[in-house]
Amino acid sequence: MPEALLILLLALGAGAAMPAGAVFARFDELHPDWLSTEWRHFIVAFGGGALISAIALVLVPDGTARLAPPAAALSFAAGGVTFFALDIWLNRMKSAAGQLVAMLSDFVPEAIALGAAFAAGESTGLLLAFLIALQNLPEGFNAFEELAHAGRLAQSTVLTAFCAMALLGPASALAGYYWLGHYPQVMGVLLLFASGGILYLVFEDIAPQARLENAWMPALGAVAGFLIGLVGSMLAG
């Protein structure tokens, strides 16, 4: 199989996890008794664990390998500060799209990194595709529920938008493969910028939502999400 076609399929599959999570959330809404509150919080925490594994095992190692320490630190900090400012702006706009913006903000840079990894001949491309899908599923679930509860858009419209957003994955991955893969320093800045932003989102948005009094499954979900990323990293390495 040509490498570009493989990248296209991997990115499309990773992106398809977003509407899959939305379908799962729609089913949960129609049948609210089948999934307990603790398991809903487990799903949120699982996505947080997967995001942290992507930062720790792929994005930060690959980004710091491309940049000198001052540039790496500045890129990471800029990502955190930018997502902080975006969060404040969304709050002032009283937008219900915070989780949606968060999902796209990590999906697009990671998809670019996927293509760039293949262009550079690295072994992390398959792992990154797996981690993107792993985090997009619970993020799609959470974002759909957030938008559905806001009630400003029809649920069919939200689901259609999620399917359309999944197509950003292949486009971003091919951009990384054909263009950004040849500019390692630019790629390093992008990876660390995304890492800083994702880490901010995990502790600002995902971790507080996962918290549940007198329940232990959500914390275990975060461990499970990171563990799957760790095993994937070890197998890829």
Side-chain angles (χ1 to χ4, degrees):
M1 180 185 295
E3 195 168 62
L5 179 59
L6 174 62
I7 294 168
L8 188 68
L9 293 175
L10 286 172
L12 187 60
M18 287 189 292
V23 170
F24 185 35
R26 175 60 176 157
F27 180 83
D28 178 53
E29 189 176 70
L30 294 173
H31 306 279
D33 296 330
W34 81 283
L35 195 63
S36 69
T37 298
E38 191 167 357
W39 276 103
R40 288 189 181 91
H41 284 251
F42 178 96
I43 291 170
V44 174
F46 184 89
L51 281 168
I52 291 175
S53 72
I55 294 170
L57 301 171
V58 179
L59 300 179
V60 167
D62 284 2
T64 53
R66 292 172 164 88
L67 295 173
L74 183 61
S75 301
F76 187 87
V81 171
T82 299
F83 278 56
F84 160 75
L86 179 62
D87 204 20
I88 292 176
W89 179 75
L90 287 171
N91 184 61
R92 288 179 177 173
M93 295 291 292
K94 301 188 184 303
S95 172
Q99 188 75 34
L100 180 64
V101 172
M103 184 170 59
L104 283 178
S105 298
D106 59 59
F107 175 50
V108 170
E110 287 175 346
I112 292 172
L114 188 157
F118 277 97
E122 298 173 358
S123 60
T124 56
L126 289 171
L127 171 62
L128 192 53
F130 171 69
L131 290 175
I132 293 170
L134 194 66
Q135 69 199 37
N136 276 347
L137 188 65
E139 283 189 327
F141 180 92
N142 297 332
F144 183 87
E145 285 204 332
E146 185 175 325
L147 289 168
H149 290 160
R152 297 177 183 176
L153 294 172
Q155 293 188 3
S156 59
T157 302
V158 176
L159 186 56
T160 301
F162 275 43
C163 292
M165 287 188 300
L167 299 177
L168 290 173
S172 300
L174 290 177
Y177 181 70
Y178 285 113
W179 178 47
L180 283 175
H182 303 293
Y183 299 94
Q185 291 183 323
V186 175
M187 197 66 232
V189 169
L190 181 64
L191 292 174
L192 289 167
F193 182 90
S195 297
I198 293 168
L199 191 62
Y200 170 85
L201 291 170
V202 167
F203 284 95
E204 173 63 22
D205 189 32
I206 297 174
Q209 288 188 56
R211 175 69 178 148
L212 193 62
E213 293 292 336
N214 299 318
W216 299 270
M217 288 298 291
L220 191 60
V223 174
F226 191 93
L227 176 62
I228 291 177
L230 176 62
V231 171
S233 178
M234 294 174 70
L235 292 175

